[in-house]
Amino acid sequence: MKVLVINCGSSSLKYQLIDSESEKALAVGLCERIGIDGRLNHTPAGGEKVVINATMDTHETAIKLVLEALIDKNHGVIKSLDEIGAVGHRVVHGGEKFATSTVITDEVIKGIEECNDLAPLHNPANLIGINACKSLMPNVPMVAVFDTAFHQTMPAKAYLYGLPYEYYEKYKVRRYGFHGTSHSYVASRAIDMAGLDKDNSKVIVCHLGNGASVTAVLNGKSVDTSMGLTPLEGLIMGTRSGSIDPAIMEFIANKENKSIEEVMNILNKKSGVLGLSGVSSDFRDLENAAEEGNERAKLAVEVFSYRVARYIGSYVAAMNGVDAIAFTAGLGENDKNVRANVSSYLGYLGINIDQDKNSVRGKETIVSTEDSKVKVCVIPTNEELAIARETVALI
């Protein structure tokens, strides 16, 4: 079966067409600037990237262009749209309602809409993509795969906040966690690479990119994760502050005469390593600046690495041990310095890093030494493949 995986943002749309038998991507692409001027970047497997500048006033127009690209005689990868057996949609927030992936029905769409308050920037965009695909491919089965679903196995002791319980009862204010498809995929690969028994395994996954989170995976199930009600909680990230003393918001609002909305914008878009360094949210820029003597850039990297190590330590305690630690996503897969910096805090676990192996970029590798008591892995994430697998399992 060929599965079209759709990841729809407010003004962009990522896609992959995946052959479920070989698990190979037949084509990948990105629609940018939807509602502005529009650009489609389409890359068939084994071919050159094709850039198509075209007006995309709506997401439905964008998806129509994607479908046309997939069957184009010059750069297409299938002869007919009839070859698409299913569509898998990434949906950011499923709340408590969706603990697993699910076939999309009118009732499911309504349930996703009910979660819009929990992800006001993401869920409405995801729904736009779903409705556009339903309009263009009404007879093709579709599946919603939720970022939050993998973390629905967390126990109450991990997901409840120290707030009046009525806020959980009335508004479902709790930790949900995100990057679920990535954490699920990478944890499974780490178990295989380390030769562990899934039902007797303790794995910590570090999804480190512009958005970053750490998850404790006990016997294949998420039992704690660093992101919370929203993706703002947890690690310091590219532009997000991560966890802070909540009173800071009132303090800044009063000192700077700003509204809650303005402070939230600072925490989401002007903080993190960007705010600390004053240089960039990109770690390549930070490391270059640090090498040139920029102390704030150096400090930003140190603060980030320390926060990751601190979460790892807390999750070792939560699971009473750890068998494997996996680094993934853009930074985790490619930045040997961050991996080394984080691992330098973990000597008490008997972790030893092979510096030569740790030089790897974007390739599955065990970077710890043979005598390391905990396996440390680099595992490129493949959320699209995870979504395709979930989709096929339900069709």
Side-chain angles (χ1 to χ4, degrees):
M1 180 189 295
K2 294 179 178 65
V3 179
L4 179 60
V5 175
I6 296 290
N7 182 352
C8 201
S10 57
S11 62
S12 66
L13 185 152
K14 296 179 183 178
Y15 67 91
Q16 285 194 20
L17 184 66
I18 295 175
D19 184 319
S20 64
E21 292 184 8
S22 66
E23 295 197 332
K24 301 295 185 183
L26 304 177
V28 301
L30 170 66
C31 294
E32 300 176 284
R33 298 173 64 82
I34 299 172
I36 306 173
D37 45 16
R39 179 170 59 248
L40 169 61
N41 301 294
H42 172 81
T43 306
E48 297 293 325
K49 182 171 74 171
V50 178
V51 179
I52 301 170
N53 292 303
T55 300
M56 301 179 194
D57 51 346
T58 67
H59 286 74
E60 185 169 338
T61 302
I63 290 174
K64 185 177 180 181
L65 288 169
V66 169
L67 298 178
E68 290 174 353
L70 291 173
I71 60 174
D72 185 90
K73 64 180 182 179
N74 294 317
H75 51 256
V77 294
I78 53 177
K79 294 180 179 179
S80 166
L81 294 180
D82 292 337
E83 295 183 44
I84 299 177
V87 180
H89 291 269
R90 175 188 180 236
V91 180
V92 167
H93 218 307
E96 289 189 328
K97 187 176 182 66
F98 298 106
T100 60
S101 302
T102 185
V103 174
I104 295 173
T105 63
D106 290 342
E107 182 180 354
V108 169
I109 290 175
K110 183 179 179 181
I112 295 171
E113 289 173 344
E114 291 172 355
C115 296
N116 282 359
D117 285 349
L118 296 172
L121 298 179
H122 297 92
N123 271 30
N126 301 153
L127 284 165
I128 288 170
I130 290 170
N131 290 323
C133 285
K134 283 173 63 67
S135 175
L136 293 167
M137 296 180 281
N139 298 318
V140 178
M142 302 192 187
V143 170
V145 180
F146 299 90
D147 264 12
T148 51
F150 181 61
H151 302 299
Q152 283 297 299
T153 51
M154 283 192 294
K157 64 182 180 182
Y159 69 67
L160 285 175
Y161 290 114
L163 296 169
Y165 194 74
E166 63 185 276
Y167 296 139
Y168 169 66
E169 292 180 306
K170 291 163 65 175
Y171 310 119
K172 299 303 178 185
V173 175
R174 51 158 286 181
R175 172 173 287 107
Y176 287 98
F178 298 88
H179 297 142
T181 51
S182 176
H183 285 294
S184 174
Y185 175 85
V186 172
S188 178
R189 288 296 305 134
I191 288 168
D192 290 343
M193 289 175 66
L196 303 175
D197 173 10
K198 177 183 176 181
D199 296 324
N200 186 28
S201 60
K202 300 171 182 178
V203 176
I204 296 173
V205 178
C206 304
H207 178 110
L208 308 181
N210 195 50
S213 60
V214 181
T215 293
V217 184
L218 179 64
N219 301 332
K221 297 180 179 180
S222 171
V223 293
D224 207 345
T225 191
S226 59
M227 284 181 169
L229 176 72
T230 74
L232 183 58
E233 187 181 359
L235 296 176
I236 291 168
M237 306 177 214
T239 64
R240 297 176 189 144
S241 66
S243 297
I244 62 170
D245 180 344
I248 291 173
M249 294 182 65
E250 180 184 33
F251 184 85
I252 292 175
N254 290 336
K255 290 291 186 181
E256 296 285 326
N257 192 29
K258 294 184 181 298
S259 66
I260 289 295
E261 290 76 13
E262 289 173 317
V263 175
M264 286 298 295
N265 185 64
I266 292 170
L267 297 183
N268 273 296
K269 298 181 179 180
K270 299 179 180 180
S271 300
V273 295
L274 170 64
L276 284 171
S277 69
V279 173
S280 175
S281 62
D282 190 310
F283 275 73
R284 291 168 294 189
D285 297 334
L286 296 182
E287 290 176 353
N288 288 336
E291 289 176 1
E292 294 172 359
N294 188 310
E295 290 299 319
R296 279 178 56 187
K298 180 181 178 182
L299 181 61
V301 175
E302 290 176 349
V303 172
F304 175 84
S305 300
Y306 173 73
R307 184 71 67 93
V308 175
R310 206 173 77 184
Y311 266 100
I312 290 172
S314 69
Y315 290 161
V316 171
M319 297 189 295
N320 195 23
V322 62
D323 300 311
I325 297 170
F327 289 94
T328 192
L331 187 61
E333 295 168 22
N334 296 298
D335 196 312
K336 65 179 182 179
N337 294 325
V338 166
R339 293 193 298 261
N341 290 343
V342 171
S343 299
S344 70
Y345 290 97
L346 307 176
Y348 70 97
L349 295 173
I351 287 177
N352 293 308
I353 298 298
D354 184 313
Q355 297 304 326
D356 290 335
K357 292 180 179 178
N358 191 45
S359 297
V360 70
R361 290 177 57 86
K363 183 180 179 181
E364 279 195 358
T365 310
I366 294 177
V367 298
S368 50
T369 59
E370 292 292 331
D371 62 350
S372 180
K373 293 182 180 179
V374 178
K375 300 291 185 183
V376 180
C377 311
V378 174
I379 303 175
T381 191
N382 194 333
E383 295 179 77
E384 289 77 15
L385 177 56
I387 291 170
R389 287 174 175 172
E390 292 279 335
T391 300
V392 171
L394 289 171
I395 298 303

